[in-house]
Amino acid sequence: MEADHTFESAVHRHDAQVAELGLPIWVGSEPTFTDREAQTPAWLHAALGDDKELRARALLGTVCGLMPGGLVLRSTGRLYPGEKLPRWNFGLLRRRDGEPLWNGPPDPLLAAEPAPAGPPDIAAFASALAEEFASQHWASECVETAEERGEEDADKEGADDTPAWTVTATAHPDAEPLPFVLHAHEDKAEPDADRATCAAIELPEIASVELFLAILPCMEHAARACGLPALVFAGATPPVDATMELTTVTPDPAVIEINSAPSRNCAEFLWRSQQVYAAAAAHGLSPYRLYFNGQVADSGGAGQVTFGGPTPETSPFVSNLQLLPRLVRYFNRHPALSYLFSHDFVGGSGQSVRPDERGTGAFDDLVLALALLERETVTEPELLWKSLASFLCDAVGNSHRAEINIEKLWNPYLPGRGRLGLVEFRGLRMQHTPQRATAIACLLRAIIAMLATRPYALPLIDWGRELHDRFALPFYLQADLDSVLAELDAAGLGLEAPIQAVLRHDAFRFL
């Protein structure tokens, strides 16, 4: 207990150092958890199947208890090549100020009692919702429609279209009409349980948090007026800004991935990580598994950490366009940052390729690109992205497999998610404890703060074979980490002993 208190105090002092510089450096993560005892496809290599969805639902229910006051979402997930349907995506939307966001009927996974056996009165709900919109002086329309069954429902008894209602609301004459589809939802909480039927509402794309917050009370009042015991929110994910936070639980090969809401500082990151790790443990999910030779590995996912700001425009990488080139130089000169905390699959064909692992030609071109960026006055983040995107990627141009991933920095070719001001560090294994994840976040955040406030123009090092030969050895990795920590000390951003001790301790790593 005393050790934990000492570590937390050191994290708070790190936050104070960064705050003194006036830098809003937010940090997010994507921890991944597995059933380390399971030998079924979903926990070894497949994204979907087995009991993964039921475990994810239960995990989110526990997170909701640890982080109360939010709204449960069942938004439409990502659709990957070769998959017929979008993946499931459970979310928790909350206010950052701690005020309750939703006081209406809960999602069935949070309901204290099962929903009544009879179907909900969707017509009454639709009528009540239209009246609520009208009371706000919005134009509203309520129309009975038909909900089309998806492929997964085609073989069920009574596969005809089921009744549904569309309530369309228009906030003002120049606004886009917003169609909300209301229907009955069959929810199967347990493998052998009967399906409970409750009301569901499919959200359209909503342009702003302000508009969403104006819509939500209308839904709450209408649902309560109809006596709905439970309500499912599905469809599009609502917008977020600096006042709102969203945590999602999604499937990935071999693991359940939790996309944690970004934290304003590392103390908040530690608290958030503690809740997530505790919720996973409560449902038998682990941040690591064992290889057949007994070696302790990570979960089979990864432990990426992402940095940005309260808004895309206030991200440190957007407000200071020299920061990213400095970061590329710094990581090149300190391979410990690439390998000491990495997953097992590093190198030129790995999951987090360094720019200097792609051959001599790519390295020489990167040297030139950084020199030109140093010479020119870069005033637009899109120019920065276009200048470095072809180097921060793997050998076939996939930026998602780069050690420093900038696909969401200012990417004009990625609609909706490309211009978020984010830089993701992908060369990190899933850490076994929230403290170790936080220590790495502190290290990277301190480096970003240092490079954002000090010039750094040292040339790239052409390591050649030495990159993999020398830095496969623990001695050189530790020596390089020591030099990074010394530079942070000199910059007034040193990490205190409790954080350094966590960084240096990895009893399960076999090199």
Side-chain angles (χ1 to χ4, degrees), residues 66-91:
L66 296 170
M67 301 166 63
L71 174 67
V72 172
L73 304 170
R74 305 197 190 193
S75 304
T76 304
R78 299 280 296 277
L79 178 60
Y80 287 85
E83 296 180 353
K84 294 181 179 180
L85 298 169
R87 295 180 181 177
W88 44 262
N89 181 5
F90 301 126

mmCIF file of all heavy atoms in Angstrom, residues 66-91:
data_model
loop_
_atom_site.group_PDB
_atom_site.id
_atom_site.type_symbol
_atom_site.label_atom_id
_atom_site.label_comp_id
_atom_site.label_asym_id
_atom_site.label_seq_id
_atom_site.Cartn_x
_atom_site.Cartn_y
_atom_site.Cartn_z
ATOM 1 N N LEU A 66 -17.854 1.046 -11.628
ATOM 2 C CA LEU A 66 -16.664 1.734 -11.127
ATOM 3 C C LEU A 66 -16.592 3.182 -11.596
ATOM 4 O O LEU A 66 -15.938 4.013 -10.960
ATOM 5 C CB LEU A 66 -15.406 0.989 -11.593
ATOM 6 C CG LEU A 66 -15.235 -0.435 -11.053
ATOM 7 C CD1 LEU A 66 -14.096 -1.151 -11.759
ATOM 8 C CD2 LEU A 66 -14.996 -0.411 -9.548
ATOM 9 N N MET A 67 -17.255 3.480 -12.714
ATOM 10 C CA MET A 67 -17.232 4.826 -13.294
ATOM 11 C C MET A 67 -18.685 5.221 -13.577
ATOM 12 O O MET A 67 -19.131 5.211 -14.724
ATOM 13 C CB MET A 67 -16.386 4.836 -14.567
ATOM 14 C CG MET A 67 -14.949 4.392 -14.335
ATOM 15 S SD MET A 67 -14.029 3.992 -15.860
ATOM 16 C CE MET A 67 -14.020 5.579 -16.685
ATOM 17 N N PRO A 68 -19.451 5.575 -12.527
ATOM 18 C CA PRO A 68 -20.908 5.729 -12.674
ATOM 19 C C PRO A 68 -21.299 7.025 -13.395
ATOM 20 O O PRO A 68 -20.478 7.903 -13.642
ATOM 21 C CB PRO A 68 -21.386 5.732 -11.221
ATOM 22 C CG PRO A 68 -20.224 6.250 -10.442
ATOM 23 C CD PRO A 68 -18.999 5.747 -11.141
ATOM 24 N N GLY A 69 -22.596 7.102 -13.700
ATOM 25 C CA GLY A 69 -23.168 8.327 -14.252
ATOM 26 C C GLY A 69 -23.194 8.405 -15.753
ATOM 27 O O GLY A 69 -23.567 9.437 -16.313
ATOM 28 N N GLY A 70 -22.827 7.307 -16.441
ATOM 29 C CA GLY A 70 -22.703 7.368 -17.884
ATOM 30 C C GLY A 70 -23.877 6.750 -18.613
ATOM 31 O O GLY A 70 -24.839 6.245 -18.015
ATOM 32 N N LEU A 71 -23.788 6.798 -19.918
ATOM 33 C CA LEU A 71 -24.789 6.233 -20.821
ATOM 34 C C LEU A 71 -24.153 5.086 -21.583
ATOM 35 O O LEU A 71 -23.106 5.251 -22.218
ATOM 36 C CB LEU A 71 -25.266 7.306 -21.803
ATOM 37 C CG LEU A 71 -26.213 6.855 -22.922
ATOM 38 C CD1 LEU A 71 -27.548 6.423 -22.334
ATOM 39 C CD2 LEU A 71 -26.410 7.976 -23.935
ATOM 40 N N VAL A 72 -24.773 3.903 -21.521
ATOM 41 C CA VAL A 72 -24.271 2.731 -22.246
ATOM 42 C C VAL A 72 -24.677 2.833 -23.711
ATOM 43 O O VAL A 72 -25.828 3.150 -24.027
ATOM 44 C CB VAL A 72 -24.797 1.430 -21.621
ATOM 45 C CG1 VAL A 72 -24.436 0.222 -22.481
ATOM 46 C CG2 VAL A 72 -24.232 1.261 -20.211
ATOM 47 N N LEU A 73 -23.736 2.562 -24.606
ATOM 48 C CA LEU A 73 -23.971 2.609 -26.048
ATOM 49 C C LEU A 73 -23.675 1.246 -26.657
ATOM 50 O O LEU A 73 -22.763 0.549 -26.219
ATOM 51 C CB LEU A 73 -23.060 3.651 -26.706
ATOM 52 C CG LEU A 73 -23.143 5.079 -26.185
ATOM 53 C CD1 LEU A 73 -22.012 5.912 -26.780
ATOM 54 C CD2 LEU A 73 -24.485 5.705 -26.518
ATOM 55 N N ARG A 74 -24.456 0.897 -27.676
ATOM 56 C CA ARG A 74 -24.152 -0.292 -28.482
ATOM 57 C C ARG A 74 -24.017 0.188 -29.928
ATOM 58 O O ARG A 74 -24.852 -0.100 -30.782
ATOM 59 C CB ARG A 74 -25.238 -1.345 -28.348
ATOM 60 C CG ARG A 74 -25.508 -1.743 -26.904
ATOM 61 C CD ARG A 74 -26.257 -3.039 -26.836
ATOM 62 N NE ARG A 74 -26.726 -3.299 -25.478
ATOM 63 C CZ ARG A 74 -27.190 -4.464 -25.067
ATOM 64 N NH1 ARG A 74 -27.248 -5.489 -25.906
ATOM 65 N NH2 ARG A 74 -27.629 -4.634 -23.838
ATOM 66 N N SER A 75 -22.981 0.953 -30.159
ATOM 67 C CA SER A 75 -22.802 1.607 -31.449
ATOM 68 C C SER A 75 -22.377 0.605 -32.515
ATOM 69 O O SER A 75 -21.902 -0.493 -32.213
ATOM 70 C CB SER A 75 -21.761 2.720 -31.332
ATOM 71 O OG SER A 75 -22.120 3.641 -30.323
ATOM 72 N N THR A 76 -22.521 1.017 -33.755
ATOM 73 C CA THR A 76 -22.074 0.189 -34.862
ATOM 74 C C THR A 76 -20.554 0.155 -34.879
ATOM 75 O O THR A 76 -19.894 1.196 -34.912
ATOM 76 C CB THR A 76 -22.596 0.748 -36.200
ATOM 77 O OG1 THR A 76 -24.020 0.845 -36.128
ATOM 78 C CG2 THR A 76 -22.199 -0.146 -37.355
ATOM 79 N N GLY A 77 -19.969 -1.044 -34.857
ATOM 80 C CA GLY A 77 -18.518 -1.196 -34.806
ATOM 81 C C GLY A 77 -17.884 -1.157 -36.182
ATOM 82 O O GLY A 77 -18.533 -0.901 -37.206
ATOM 83 N N ARG A 78 -16.593 -1.430 -36.226
ATOM 84 C CA ARG A 78 -15.829 -1.418 -37.468
ATOM 85 C C ARG A 78 -16.175 -2.633 -38.320
ATOM 86 O O ARG A 78 -16.407 -3.729 -37.810
ATOM 87 C CB ARG A 78 -14.321 -1.435 -37.159
ATOM 88 C CG ARG A 78 -13.815 -0.233 -36.360
ATOM 89 C CD ARG A 78 -13.598 0.975 -37.222
ATOM 90 N NE ARG A 78 -12.554 0.747 -38.203
ATOM 91 C CZ ARG A 78 -11.248 0.878 -37.943
ATOM 92 N NH1 ARG A 78 -10.836 1.207 -36.735
ATOM 93 N NH2 ARG A 78 -10.355 0.679 -38.897
ATOM 94 N N LEU A 79 -16.209 -2.428 -39.627
ATOM 95 C CA LEU A 79 -16.408 -3.521 -40.579
ATOM 96 C C LEU A 79 -15.080 -3.774 -41.277
ATOM 97 O O LEU A 79 -14.566 -2.909 -41.985
ATOM 98 C CB LEU A 79 -17.485 -3.164 -41.604
ATOM 99 C CG LEU A 79 -17.751 -4.202 -42.696
ATOM 100 C CD1 LEU A 79 -18.204 -5.524 -42.076
ATOM 101 C CD2 LEU A 79 -18.777 -3.694 -43.691
ATOM 102 N N TYR A 80 -14.526 -4.961 -41.074
ATOM 103 C CA TYR A 80 -13.217 -5.299 -41.615
ATOM 104 C C TYR A 80 -13.372 -6.123 -42.891
ATOM 105 O O TYR A 80 -14.361 -6.828 -43.071
ATOM 106 C CB TYR A 80 -12.401 -6.071 -40.585
ATOM 107 C CG TYR A 80 -11.910 -5.208 -39.446
ATOM 108 C CD1 TYR A 80 -12.720 -4.953 -38.341
ATOM 109 C CD2 TYR A 80 -10.645 -4.637 -39.482
ATOM 110 C CE1 TYR A 80 -12.274 -4.149 -37.297
ATOM 111 C CE2 TYR A 80 -10.186 -3.839 -38.436
ATOM 112 C CZ TYR A 80 -11.003 -3.601 -37.360
ATOM 113 O OH TYR A 80 -10.572 -2.801 -36.332
ATOM 114 N N PRO A 81 -12.394 -6.038 -43.789
ATOM 115 C CA PRO A 81 -12.454 -6.833 -45.027
ATOM 116 C C PRO A 81 -12.637 -8.317 -44.725
ATOM 117 O O PRO A 81 -11.983 -8.862 -43.830
ATOM 118 C CB PRO A 81 -11.087 -6.558 -45.677
ATOM 119 C CG PRO A 81 -10.664 -5.233 -45.145
ATOM 120 C CD PRO A 81 -11.191 -5.185 -43.740
ATOM 121 N N GLY A 82 -13.547 -8.953 -45.470
ATOM 122 C CA GLY A 82 -13.805 -10.379 -45.288
ATOM 123 C C GLY A 82 -14.848 -10.700 -44.243
ATOM 124 O O GLY A 82 -15.244 -11.861 -44.094
ATOM 125 N N GLU A 83 -15.289 -9.702 -43.478
ATOM 126 C CA GLU A 83 -16.316 -9.928 -42.461
ATOM 127 C C GLU A 83 -17.660 -9.403 -42.969
ATOM 128 O O GLU A 83 -17.738 -8.295 -43.518
ATOM 129 C CB GLU A 83 -15.929 -9.256 -41.145
ATOM 130 C CG GLU A 83 -14.660 -9.842 -40.529
ATOM 131 C CD GLU A 83 -14.270 -9.192 -39.222
ATOM 132 O OE1 GLU A 83 -14.895 -8.195 -38.831
ATOM 133 O OE2 GLU A 83 -13.320 -9.682 -38.587
ATOM 134 N N LYS A 84 -18.726 -10.174 -42.784
ATOM 135 C CA LYS A 84 -20.034 -9.825 -43.343
ATOM 136 C C LYS A 84 -20.702 -8.684 -42.603
ATOM 137 O O LYS A 84 -21.436 -7.884 -43.196
ATOM 138 C CB LYS A 84 -20.949 -11.045 -43.324
ATOM 139 C CG LYS A 84 -20.502 -12.191 -44.238
ATOM 140 C CD LYS A 84 -21.492 -13.342 -44.169
ATOM 141 C CE LYS A 84 -21.081 -14.473 -45.090
ATOM 142 N NZ LYS A 84 -22.032 -15.619 -45.035
ATOM 143 N N LEU A 85 -20.499 -8.604 -41.299
ATOM 144 C CA LEU A 85 -21.190 -7.615 -40.476
ATOM 145 C C LEU A 85 -20.197 -6.798 -39.660
ATOM 146 O O LEU A 85 -19.099 -7.279 -39.342
ATOM 147 C CB LEU A 85 -22.161 -8.318 -39.524
ATOM 148 C CG LEU A 85 -23.293 -9.117 -40.171
ATOM 149 C CD1 LEU A 85 -23.999 -9.957 -39.112
ATOM 150 C CD2 LEU A 85 -24.267 -8.196 -40.873
ATOM 151 N N PRO A 86 -20.557 -5.567 -39.302
ATOM 152 C CA PRO A 86 -19.691 -4.804 -38.396
ATOM 153 C C PRO A 86 -19.540 -5.533 -37.060
ATOM 154 O O PRO A 86 -20.449 -6.235 -36.611
ATOM 155 C CB PRO A 86 -20.440 -3.481 -38.218
ATOM 156 C CG PRO A 86 -21.362 -3.388 -39.383
ATOM 157 C CD PRO A 86 -21.739 -4.792 -39.716
ATOM 158 N N ARG A 87 -18.413 -5.366 -36.446
ATOM 159 C CA ARG A 87 -18.186 -5.969 -35.131
ATOM 160 C C ARG A 87 -19.000 -5.241 -34.064
ATOM 161 O O ARG A 87 -19.336 -4.071 -34.209
ATOM 162 C CB ARG A 87 -16.700 -5.908 -34.769
ATOM 163 C CG ARG A 87 -15.825 -6.745 -35.689
ATOM 164 C CD ARG A 87 -14.363 -6.642 -35.281
ATOM 165 N NE ARG A 87 -13.509 -7.414 -36.171
ATOM 166 C CZ ARG A 87 -12.184 -7.458 -36.073
ATOM 167 N NH1 ARG A 87 -11.567 -6.761 -35.120
ATOM 168 N NH2 ARG A 87 -11.479 -8.192 -36.912
ATOM 169 N N TRP A 88 -19.314 -5.956 -32.979
ATOM 170 C CA TRP A 88 -20.012 -5.310 -31.878
ATOM 171 C C TRP A 88 -19.099 -4.291 -31.206
ATOM 172 O O TRP A 88 -17.866 -4.374 -31.265
ATOM 173 C CB TRP A 88 -20.545 -6.334 -30.874
ATOM 174 C CG TRP A 88 -19.617 -7.447 -30.487
ATOM 175 C CD1 TRP A 88 -19.592 -8.702 -31.000
ATOM 176 C CD2 TRP A 88 -18.586 -7.410 -29.486
ATOM 177 N NE1 TRP A 88 -18.608 -9.451 -30.394
ATOM 178 C CE2 TRP A 88 -17.977 -8.682 -29.456
ATOM 179 C CE3 TRP A 88 -18.111 -6.443 -28.613
ATOM 180 C CZ2 TRP A 88 -16.931 -9.013 -28.597
ATOM 181 C CZ3 TRP A 88 -17.056 -6.755 -27.761
ATOM 182 C CH2 TRP A 88 -16.494 -8.028 -27.757
ATOM 183 N N ASN A 89 -19.738 -3.323 -30.569
ATOM 184 C CA ASN A 89 -18.993 -2.203 -29.974
ATOM 185 C C ASN A 89 -19.811 -1.664 -28.807
ATOM 186 O O ASN A 89 -20.822 -0.995 -29.009
ATOM 187 C CB ASN A 89 -18.771 -1.122 -31.041
ATOM 188 C CG ASN A 89 -17.991 0.070 -30.524
ATOM 189 O OD1 ASN A 89 -17.523 0.072 -29.390
ATOM 190 N ND2 ASN A 89 -17.863 1.088 -31.342
ATOM 191 N N PHE A 90 -19.398 -1.990 -27.586
ATOM 192 C CA PHE A 90 -20.077 -1.495 -26.389
ATOM 193 C C PHE A 90 -19.316 -0.285 -25.858
ATOM 194 O O PHE A 90 -18.079 -0.291 -25.805
ATOM 195 C CB PHE A 90 -20.131 -2.577 -25.302
ATOM 196 C CG PHE A 90 -20.838 -3.829 -25.739
ATOM 197 C CD1 PHE A 90 -20.234 -5.070 -25.634
ATOM 198 C CD2 PHE A 90 -22.113 -3.754 -26.257
ATOM 199 C CE1 PHE A 90 -20.885 -6.218 -26.041
ATOM 200 C CE2 PHE A 90 -22.780 -4.909 -26.671
ATOM 201 C CZ PHE A 90 -22.168 -6.139 -26.561
ATOM 202 N N GLY A 91 -20.054 0.749 -25.468
ATOM 203 C CA GLY A 91 -19.396 1.967 -25.018
ATOM 204 C C GLY A 91 -20.014 2.535 -23.760
ATOM 205 O O GLY A 91 -21.162 2.241 -23.404
#
